[in-house]
Amino acid sequence: MEHFSYTTSGTCSRQIDFDMADGVLHNVVFTGGCDGNLKAIAKLVEGKKAADVVELLAGNTCGDKATSCGDQLSRACKKALGA
């Protein structure tokens, strides 16, 4: 299992940490941001294929921002997958 840390941009969360084994996400933790919502996202993506998370969350926005914590997670997954 490999560990990844991703510094977010344009969101209230500052960082996303997660583990990935064979393209599957584990132990997703957001630092900063909306605690309850981000804990929920982490639970929902636990054990999911990173590629599926990218497809599901890419382009999601928050309010008037061009991105969101979910979108940032998709970007982190893409980077971890080498895409």
Side-chain angles (χ1 to χ4, degrees), residues 1-66:
M1 191 169 307
E2 190 172 355
H3 182 79
F4 295 91
S5 290
Y6 182 82
T7 301
T8 61
S9 176
T11 60
C12 298
S13 65
R14 297 180 304 279
Q15 183 171 308
I16 305 169
D17 289 285
F18 59 95
D19 297 321
M20 194 165 61
D22 298 320
V24 176
L25 292 176
H26 299 284
N27 309 314
V28 177
V29 176
F30 289 83
T31 301
C34 303
D35 188 52
N37 290 332
L38 297 177
K39 284 180 184 174
I41 289 174
K43 285 182 178 183
L44 290 169
V45 302
E46 177 66 28
K48 303 289 187 223
K49 292 181 182 177
D52 292 343
V53 171
V54 170
E55 186 176 325
L56 182 66
L57 297 178
N60 190 61
T61 60
C62 181
D64 61 354
K65 297 176 183 175

